Amino acid sequence: MIDTRRLRTLRAVADHGTVTAAAAALHLTPSAVSQQLGALEHEVGHRLFTRDGRGVHLTAVGRIMLAHANEVLAQLERAEAEVAAYATGAAGEVTVACFATAISAVLSPAMAALAVTNPGLRVRVLDAEGDQGLKMLLDELADLAIAVEYRGAPDATDRRITRRPLYAEPFDLVLPPGRDEPVDLPALAEETWIGPYPGNPVHDVITFACEQAGFTPRFAHSSDDFRAVVALVGAGTGVALVPRRALKDMALPGVTIQQVSGPERRVFAAVRRGAEAHPLLKPLLDALAAAS
């Protein structure tokens, strides 16, 4: 009989690429993770990983096992959801990993609505960038993630998660004081750029939009805080693309804001596959959709 805990370990190692990173996510020692992998390989009767100096890689059998692990773990999530639904009432805590702008835009309004409609539902919020939320969800550090589409993100076919689109917002061009003339992206190829760090989904969206316009942006200053980005533009140190909702109610120090066609931030909610009907998660998903 295969131990489901070892299937979770298998998935964590496949997700993180190294035993050490998987151990940190699972709150285990690397030795314990290696032991669980060894025990799973013994149960299966085949090697599941190959190891090199940089990490571990799934074998063909490992990929087969991972596909089944995703289905088994999703079914366990469904079982928990059905048992919870059977219980009377929907009282408990849900942990949500969400980036700052979406906390203001949709999560806070949804929480306010739930306080009236589902007073027994407590929401615990973890501020996480758009790419980190999904990792926290899959590592079971969060029950729901509000995340951003980016190259390399799990897509709609990923068997580990269920997604619900929330909203899409355009980016606005932020120019230094005195730059009032209308411009388009190709005209900014030689400019100094300000934006989030590589790895932040917004950095990826900006880079892709500029590449579509025929150039690679030259980032001189980096910050994941859009207020800091706008302040740096206001100091005349460069130009930036900023999601429109992030500019709402922000002090704009003399900068010029222009609409630009193309870049867009697509935001979605995600839960582990099988958990979407959980009586604590379903009303939260519905409230987020209503607030979007």
Side-chain angles (χ1 to χ4, degrees):
M1 181 69 69
I2 295 175
D3 190 328
T4 55
R5 292 173 299 178
R6 292 169 188 159
L7 295 180
R8 294 185 189 279
T9 302
L10 170 71
R11 185 161 77 177
V13 174
D15 285 344
H16 292 278
T18 68
V19 169
T20 300
L26 295 170
H27 303 290
L28 297 171
T29 65
S31 176
V33 169
S34 294
Q35 289 174 8
Q36 289 202 25
L37 291 179
L40 182 57
E41 288 181 329
H42 178 74
E43 290 173 338
V44 174
H46 293 274
R47 292 187 65 185
L48 302 176
F49 292 93
T50 59
R51 296 164 174 80
D52 59 31
R54 292 172 296 178
V56 295
H57 306 280
L58 286 169
T59 64
V61 174
R63 290 191 292 272
I64 292 171
M65 283 302 301
L66 179 62
H68 285 289
N70 288 333
E71 292 299 323
V72 169
L73 295 175
Q75 189 59 42
L76 288 175
E77 294 280 359
R78 294 187 191 97
E80 291 182 5
E82 289 185 18
V83 170
Y86 183 79
T88 58
E93 182 177 271
V94 172
T95 299
V96 179
C98 181
F99 59 97
T101 305
I103 291 175
S104 300
V106 292
L107 182 54
S108 293
M111 291 170 64
L114 288 170
V116 176
T117 61
N118 297 73
L121 197 165
R122 301 184 306 277
V123 179
R124 175 173 172 256
V125 180
L126 302 177
D127 190 343
E129 291 299 333
D131 59 330
Q132 293 299 313
L134 290 175
K135 296 176 183 176
M136 296 171 71
L137 176 69
L138 292 172
D139 289 340
E140 300 188 16
L141 301 176
D143 303 302
L144 184 148
I146 298 177
V148 177
E149 293 279 10
Y150 62 97
R151 288 182 286 187
D155 62 22
T157 65
D158 194 297
R159 302 294 295 174
R160 298 170 298 173
I161 61 174
T162 297
R163 303 164 21 135
R164 179 178 293 190
L166 294 180
Y167 64 88
E169 63 175 323
F171 281 64
D172 287 331
L173 183 61
V174 186
L175 299 172
R179 296 278 298 273
D180 298 327
E181 72 285 1
V183 296
D184 54 16
L185 282 183
L188 300 173
E190 301 302 320
E191 296 282 350
T192 296
W193 284 79
I194 307 161
Y197 285 99
N200 186 311
V202 171
H203 182 281
D204 187 71
V205 172
I206 295 170
T207 300
F208 182 71
C210 291
E211 290 172 350
Q212 293 292 98
F215 68 96
T216 300
R218 180 170 55 88
F219 288 97
H221 310 288
S222 297
S223 174
D224 289 331
D225 185 334
F226 291 120
R227 293 182 185 277
V229 169
V230 172
L232 287 168
V233 175
T237 64
V239 301
L241 282 169
V242 177
R244 184 167 294 171
R245 292 195 187 205
L247 293 171
K248 184 180 179 181
D249 301 324
M250 186 186 297
L252 303 174
V255 299
T256 298
I257 307 298
Q258 293 188 14
Q259 295 184 6
V260 61
S261 62
E264 191 175 59
R265 176 161 71 168
R266 295 182 178 87
V267 180
F268 62 92
V271 297
R272 289 184 296 278
R273 191 173 183 87
E276 56 273 11
H278 193 287
L280 293 178
L281 289 174
K282 187 177 184 304
L284 177 53
L285 285 168
D286 291 343
L288 289 169
S292 298

